Amino acid sequence: MNRHWTRRDFMKATAMTVGTAAASSYLTSSMVFGEETPQPNYNTTLHKSWIVGEINAGQIEKLAKIGVEAVETTAWDVDPAKAREGRKICEENGIKIHSVMRAWTNVNTDSADADVETVNRALRAAAAYGASTILLVPCKIGTPGPKPQDFKIEFDPTTCMISKVVDGDNAPYAAYIADHNKATEASFKYVKKSIPIAAYEGVTIGLENVWNGLWCTPDLFAAFIKAYDNVWVKGYFDIGNHVKYAKPEDWLRALGKGWICKLHFKDFFVDPAKPAGGDFVPIGKGSIDWKSVRKVIDEVEYDGFVTLESGGWSDEQHVQIFKNFFTGEDILKGVDA
């Protein structure tokens, strides 16, 4: 018990430092890993990461050879001893495990308490891996809402309860509004239950923007993250996920300095005529202005890991794409298209 309060008191005393760069809480030690890409045009430094499952020595060795600096593992349901084994494999190859992908839970159901326990298990595994973050999508709703281009959300900035989602008549979306508010309340209630574990383990809960029918505009998502008002809850921003709702630059600026713990890296081609609003495509083939995004990342002072969540190119081609993105070059420069 004494250890718990001592660590929390210490972290509160240094909350401003940690809050400004939650993604960097383990970044200093990770700087010795991998081959750092010089980024002379920017004040911030980004680091390339791949997603892996259970840590496998052969895969990690392969990634190390092509200059991958870090990984995010989906193997969250492991005991600390197993996680420490994975950490050792990665460190022996000069690679950092920076994040654990807990991914979807569904806290607005009767199984919410059980889901909280899985989040806590992921936090403990992350600490043993040496990771600074878990990625969490707290819940989702399937209730039909407006088309992406039609969203005009009005909400209470304190509670994040929404009252309107479009201009004009909102009666067709009454069920969506009700379910959205229920899910938001449940997320606040149940994510907060894991904050003491996150603080004790020194691992940030990164809430991701994903296709879960919730927080579909930059100002609402940012308000939802900031309403926790806690250094251990930040936004895990996926650059490609919500392009159909707003430009990545708008999402980054809405979250702002100190509220982004990590980034995912993929592309999306916007086509409002399609049911899903467009398609995920290989990086460089979509609607994202990557040079502009890199400038805004610098503007909001994000230093940290960028994790690939995309296909369509080889690992070696993705390494070049990362380099182009980090240094502000044309995203497909030197990539055989």
Side-chain angles (χ1 to χ4, degrees):
M1 189 67 177
N2 288 338
R3 178 186 173 212
H4 173 73
W5 283 103
T6 299
R7 289 186 68 177
R8 289 193 71 186
D9 289 345
F10 171 76
M11 294 316 297
K12 282 185 177 180
T14 58
M16 183 172 292
T17 300
V18 180
T20 300
S24 302
S25 57
Y26 286 78
L27 191 55
T28 301
S29 63
S30 77
M31 295 290 280
V32 302
F33 294 95
E35 296 295 328
E36 185 176 337
T37 302
Q39 295 157 45
N41 297 326
Y42 304 99
N43 294 317
T44 53
T45 302
L46 305 179
H47 299 268
K48 51 188 175 294
S49 166
W50 259 240
I51 293 175
V52 298
E54 186 172 324
I55 303 301
N56 175 279
Q59 182 185 37
I60 296 302
E61 289 168 5
K62 177 183 176 183
L63 293 177
K65 287 179 181 178
I66 62 172
V68 173
E69 298 167 89
V71 294
E72 177 173 72
T73 178
T74 61
W76 63 267
D77 192 13
V78 299
D79 60 46
K82 181 71 172 178
R84 284 191 288 270
E85 291 175 9
R87 177 177 183 171
K88 182 179 179 182
I89 290 170
C90 286
E91 289 182 348
E92 287 173 348
N93 286 278
I95 282 181
K96 171 77 179 174
I97 304 173
H98 77 91
S99 181
V100 172
M101 188 186 291
R102 171 56 189 89
W104 298 90
T105 64
N106 204 4
V107 298
N108 54 333
T109 69
D110 292 337
S111 64
D113 286 318
D115 282 326
V116 170
E117 287 306 310
T118 69
V119 173
N120 294 343
R121 182 168 173 80
L123 287 165
R124 295 184 181 101
Y129 278 124
S132 59
T133 307
I134 68 163
L135 182 156
L136 177 64
V137 183
C139 59
K140 60 183 176 180
I141 60 173
T143 315
K147 293 180 179 179
Q149 64 271 23
D150 293 335
F151 268 106
K152 297 287 174 59
I153 298 179
E154 293 184 9
F155 64 95
D156 183 318
T158 302
T159 65
C160 296
M161 296 295 101
I162 61 176
S163 54
K164 296 178 65 176
V165 291
V166 294
D167 288 334
D169 183 14
N170 278 254
Y173 303 109
Y176 175 81
I177 292 171
D179 287 350
H180 192 292
N181 288 340
K182 176 185 175 184
T184 297
E185 286 182 322
S187 295
F188 282 137
K189 177 180 177 180
Y190 287 101
V191 171
K192 286 177 180 177
K193 290 186 176 184
S194 291
I195 290 176
I197 305 299
Y200 180 79
E201 299 293 352
V203 176
T204 299
I205 300 170
L207 301 179
E208 190 188 20
N209 65 311
V210 71
W211 287 20
N212 55 347
L214 300 167
W215 317 303
C216 294
T217 59
D219 57 344
L220 178 55
F221 181 63
F224 171 67
I225 298 298
K226 295 174 185 180
Y228 286 92
D229 192 27
N230 194 287
V231 69
W232 298 109
V233 180
K234 302 294 180 185
Y236 196 127
F237 180 65
D238 188 305
I239 298 171
N241 261 350
H242 274 13
V243 180
K244 64 181 181 179
Y245 296 105
K247 292 180 179 180
E249 296 93 323
D250 296 337
W251 293 91
L252 289 163
R253 288 191 176 109
L255 286 164
K257 179 181 175 181
W259 288 99
I260 303 168
C261 65
K262 299 288 168 68
L263 298 172
H264 267 174
F265 187 34
K266 62 174 178 277
D267 210 338
F268 187 84
F269 185 82
V270 177
D271 184 352
K274 292 197 170 184
D279 297 294
F280 289 107
V281 294
I283 294 171
K285 301 292 187 179
S287 300
I288 296 175
D289 182 339
W290 290 106
K291 290 184 180 180
S292 176
V293 169
R294 181 63 182 98
K295 289 178 181 178
V296 177
I297 288 172
D298 209 46
E299 178 185 315
V300 301
E301 300 181 23
Y302 173 79
D303 283 286
F305 297 104
V306 182
T307 300
L308 180 68
E309 196 179 33
S310 180
W313 304 106
S314 68
D315 282 346
E316 291 76 11
Q317 286 171 318
H318 276 126
V319 168
Q320 181 62 45
I321 288 169
F322 266 107
K323 180 179 179 181
N324 295 340
F325 176 43
F326 290 177
T327 57
E329 301 285 347
D330 291 335
I331 195 70
L332 295 181
K333 179 182 177 181
V335 178
D336 183 8

